[in-house]
Amino acid sequence: MLKVGDMAPDFQAETTTGRQLKLSELRGKLVVLYFFRKAFTRNCVVETRGFRDNYPELTALGAEVVGVSCDDNATQCEFAESNDVAFPMIADSDRSISRSFKTFFSWLPAVSHRVTYVIDERGVIAGVFNHEFQ
């Protein structure tokens, strides 16, 4: 995983709303970038709904939330719609974003940690929250 103080890798990807999102275009605001394993799994639904429910408060603080999983775009779109998500979600089916943020388990490279990065206004990682049960 990346660490506090690391520069967040830039990426560009299509969101579930069909628009292109480039991380560097969000500079000037806080970004809550969370990675989850698989759409429609219990813990990932709970996590996504938590961000959904707190999204108004986060945006009031000047933050943007972005959710990422390695699902395909159709699955990610269905997941976002079924959970009434207002923030951008990204299907990282080629795993390039997840690889650049080093979210995969070292011993199981096809499975991503459930991890949240808080990225500051300059694009620097200000917080890392690993949501795995130990």
Side-chain angles (χ1 to χ4, degrees), residues 39 51 62 64 73:
F51 283 115
E64 181 58 84
N73 192 56

Side-chain angles (χ1 to χ4, degrees), residues 9-98:
D10 198 15
F11 64 82
Q12 182 170 335
E14 183 178 350
T15 70
T16 52
T17 62
R19 85 172 178 94
Q20 290 291 310
L21 181 135
K22 188 170 184 179
L23 184 61
S24 59
E25 291 174 352
L26 297 176
R27 295 259 168 85
K29 61 171 47 178
L30 289 173
V31 177
V32 178
L33 180 68
Y34 79 100
F35 291 83
F36 60 100
R37 284 194 188 160
K38 190 160 181 58
F40 300 105
T41 57
R42 186 175 89 60
N43 288 338
C44 296
V45 168
V46 169
E47 183 178 26
T48 296
R49 289 180 180 174
F51 283 115
R52 175 201 66 196
D53 295 346
N54 291 290
Y55 187 59
E57 289 83 4
L58 290 165
T59 57
L61 294 171
E64 181 58 84
V65 175
V66 180
V68 180
S69 78
C70 293
D71 293 295
D72 61 46
N73 192 56
T75 302
Q76 193 77 303
C77 288
E78 184 181 342
F79 182 66
E81 183 178 339
S82 71
N83 288 288
D84 197 28
V85 173
F87 53 82
M89 297 191 79
I90 295 170
D92 183 28
S93 57
D94 71 357
R95 295 169 162 68
S96 61
I97 300 168
S98 299

